[in-house]
Amino acid sequence: MASRKIEDLHPDLQPLCREFVRRCEAAGVTALITTTYRSGAEQDELYAQGRTKPGPRVTNARAGQSAHNAMIQGKPAARAFDVVPTIGGKPMWDAKHPHWQVMGKIGMELGLNWYGRPNAQFKEFPHFELAKGYQ
Ligand SMILES: [Zn+2]
């Protein structure tokens, strides 16, 4: 089971994530963090989905290649979090729902790399990543 703890994010991403959730809330969008850190074994499990295991393909990253796998000195320090808007307590997975654009705009205002942006190479609407340049 992947972590949902903000404490398992990169130290620079933690305050950005908290601010993201706060700004979403202020805009009337409840943002539920679904994944922060994911271990290498969990990443490989996910990679197998849609390839050697049933289900849709959800990632192109193997263990160690995802921003969710990042560590600093052996401790989780994920460089990305995944998030979904909830409506009436239920996740809204349909990325056409307007709340996704609200979240994306807020994330980009905070300087995060949103994989749902129009020119994203690999579309992954829930994924917000720490920009390059952070150590
Ligand atoms: Zn992600």
Side-chain angles (χ1 to χ4, degrees):
M1 188 70 180
S3 173
R4 297 180 165 194
K5 284 193 282 184
I6 288 178
E7 294 72 25
D8 286 340
L9 291 172
H10 185 286
D12 293 330
L13 186 53
Q14 292 182 25
L16 290 171
C17 183
R18 290 195 177 92
E19 181 63 11
F20 172 85
V21 172
R22 198 192 63 73
R23 288 193 194 180
C24 285
E25 205 64 62
V29 174
T30 302
L32 175 71
I33 306 294
T34 59
T35 301
T36 54
Y37 174 74
R38 193 186 293 132
S39 72
E42 287 162 338
Q43 186 66 41
D44 277 339
E45 189 90 351
L46 209 59
Y47 184 83
Q49 193 181 303
R51 293 182 171 90
T52 55
K53 288 184 177 173
R57 283 190 187 194
V58 290
T59 183
N60 284 330
R62 295 171 185 265
Q65 293 176 341
S66 165
H68 292 288
N69 308 145
M71 299 181 105
I72 295 176
Q73 292 174 341
K75 286 196 181 133
R79 298 179 64 90
F81 58 84
D82 292 342
V83 66
V84 63
T86 65
I87 292 165
K90 296 209 174 98
M92 169 50 74
W93 292 110
D94 181 358
K96 290 186 192 79
H97 190 281
H99 281 193
W100 284 95
Q101 290 303 320
V102 175
M103 290 198 320
K105 186 169 174 283
I106 290 169
M108 290 190 292
E109 279 168 5
L110 288 167
L112 298 171
N113 185 1
W114 180 39
Y115 279 33
R117 71 185 189 281
N119 59 345
Q121 284 187 328
F122 178 70
K123 275 265 198 301
E124 201 188 324
F125 286 89
H127 186 95
F128 290 84
E129 192 167 317
L130 193 62
K132 290 194 169 46
Y134 288 94
Q135 293 301 302

